[in-house]
Amino acid sequence: MNTGQGWATWNPNGTFVDRYIGETEKGFLPVFTYYMIRQSLPGRDDGDEPRAVLSNLRNDATMHAWLDDLRLFMKRAARFPNKTVVLHVEPDMWGYGEQAAKGDDAATVPVARVGSLRGLARKVVAIRDNLATNVVLAYHLSGWGTGVDLSLNDPSPTRTDELARKAARFYRSLGAKFDLTFTDWSDRDAAFKRAIYGAGPDAWWTGADHARAVRFIRAYSSAAHQRVAVWQLPLGNTIMRAMNNTWGHYQDNHVQWLLGKDGRTHLESLAGAGAIGLLFGGGADGTTCACDARGDGKTDPAPIDGNTRRSYGADDDGGYFRNRARAYYGRPVPLE
């Protein structure tokens, strides 16, 4: 907010929001991920992300700017009173706060201007209520906020339930009613993580990892009384020849698990657990896109690891997501 480079500077007077909402096609919901605290001064230049986020929260000038920036967003969104707008508030920040909290209590995490993370959450809701009642507020649930990574540490079913209830206790300690919760499983393709970050084989999710993630959502949703959207799902697959683990064409298996051969069973289990939606798209340049982001057109390089299917079109994932999404919408999973 205080760098001269935030979203409010992209178009005059914060009209990026107006343009994005205005360009959203009928039948779609515009979703804004408000991810500002990490990139703001003075913490922006601190390489230790948790420390940077928590120190920015304690900085009076930073939080003054943050609250003003949030009010600007609400005022712009309020110009579309008949349009539902989703604001996904500060992924990662709540997770770092959860790790810093004493006794899973957000009131123990200091925040300038509002006293604590509890005060901040309540302020966010109050600003929305006062300025933009058409905005749906989404809290962000970081599974690792409990101190245990669900996919790396492989907690038992009983332990998974305990961790979900712990996360729900922290959410409830905010004393603020968000409309829904977002969570993220993996924001980059597994093959991208291995090639770019040197991650090990556990970057690939197994059936047990997916089952654990569904279980975590079920226990959290029940304890927090929140419906959950799974956000920033990577778009790679292991089916199409286009997926040859080069820049923009990295493999992953989340789309297959959700929309592939057994996808309906998996989606029904997610819906029964409290999930209400899925949002796809990698969190970094070079991850796979269900579009021709690389501008290389239809590609069918030599198969690797059994990915023998030829591309349906020019999309960097070989058109697999577009194909499976079209099939899904022919018979969508109903939500209760």
Side-chain angles (χ1 to χ4, degrees):
M1 298 77 57
N2 50 11
T3 64
Q5 299 172 325
W7 69 269
T9 70
W10 298 347
N11 302 105
N13 301 316
T15 50
F16 167 77
V17 172
D18 305 59
R19 295 177 62 172
Y20 191 82
I21 296 173
E23 292 167 5
T24 302
E25 295 182 20
K26 185 178 180 180
F28 287 80
L29 291 177
V31 178
F32 294 85
T33 292
Y34 192 82
Y35 190 65
M36 300 291 288
I37 196 71
R38 170 67 179 105
Q39 296 85 2
S40 298
L41 292 170
R44 181 183 67 175
D45 300 323
D46 189 335
D48 185 317
E49 183 166 315
R51 183 175 63 198
V53 169
L54 293 171
S55 65
N56 272 353
L57 286 171
R58 293 190 299 267
N59 186 288
D60 188 81
T62 301
M63 293 313 299
H64 177 76
W66 192 95
L67 291 166
D68 277 351
D69 195 72
L70 184 68
R71 291 186 185 95
L72 176 61
F73 173 87
M74 296 296 181
K75 290 173 182 177
R76 303 311 314 187
R79 294 169 62 85
F80 299 82
N82 297 319
K83 183 74 172 178
T84 298
V85 177
V86 180
L87 183 66
H88 171 208
V89 182
E90 292 289 1
D92 300 337
M93 180 189 77
W94 306 104
Y96 293 134
E98 183 181 357
Q99 290 182 337
K102 297 179 177 64
D104 303 321
D105 186 357
T108 65
V109 182
V111 177
R113 295 260 159 178
V114 292
S116 66
L117 264 183
R118 175 183 171 91
L120 182 62
R122 292 168 67 87
K123 189 69 171 179
V124 168
V125 173
I127 290 172
R128 186 279 307 272
D129 290 348
N130 289 333
L131 295 178
T133 55
N134 61 314
V135 170
V136 170
L137 285 176
Y139 170 75
H140 189 88
L141 166 67
S142 295
W144 47 261
T146 63
V148 177
D149 190 293
L150 296 175
S151 64
L152 296 180
N153 300 129
D154 299 338
S156 69
T158 300
R159 180 62 172 149
T160 298
D161 290 344
E162 291 172 352
L163 293 169
R165 289 192 291 268
K166 176 180 174 66
R169 280 197 301 274
F170 179 78
Y171 166 75
R172 293 197 307 269
S173 79
L174 296 173
K177 183 66 171 67
F178 285 76
D179 300 299
L180 75 158
T181 291
F182 276 33
T183 193
D184 53 322
W185 288 354
S186 176
D187 64 346
R188 288 152 172 76
D189 307 293
F192 178 97
K193 289 183 176 181
R194 299 208 67 187
I196 305 303
Y197 301 143
D202 51 10
W204 284 93
W205 275 39
T206 65
D209 290 319
H210 281 111
R212 193 179 299 109
V214 174
R215 188 180 187 102
F216 185 82
I217 287 174
R218 177 179 288 107
Y220 169 83
S221 177
S222 175
H225 306 293
Q226 284 275 289
R227 300 299 291 270
V228 178
V230 185
W231 168 72
Q232 206 168 218
L233 286 158
L235 281 158
N237 66 77
T238 65
I239 303 291
M240 312 301 293
R241 282 174 55 173
M243 308 305 301
N244 66 339
N245 290 337
T246 59
W247 196 249
H249 298 276
Y250 287 104
Q251 295 185 349
D252 195 83
N253 60 8
H254 286 297
V255 174
Q256 289 157 247
W257 191 84
L258 291 162
L259 298 175
K261 178 171 64 70
D262 298 316
R264 187 169 186 87
T265 299
H266 299 152
L267 290 174
E268 287 173 346
S269 68
L270 265 172
I276 198 171
L278 308 170
L279 291 85
F280 293 86
D285 186 31
T287 56
T288 303
C289 183
C291 64
D292 190 14
R294 304 273 65 85
D296 49 10
K298 186 175 179 179
T299 58
D300 284 308
I304 61 172
D305 303 324
N307 62 337
T308 57
R309 193 172 301 174
R310 291 186 176 275
S311 295
Y312 298 119
D315 291 350
D316 293 338
D317 71 336
Y320 182 76
F321 177 78
R322 192 183 299 268
N323 174 273
R324 298 317 306 155
R326 184 179 294 116
Y328 168 78
Y329 279 114
R331 187 179 169 228
V333 173
L335 296 171
E336 295 180 0

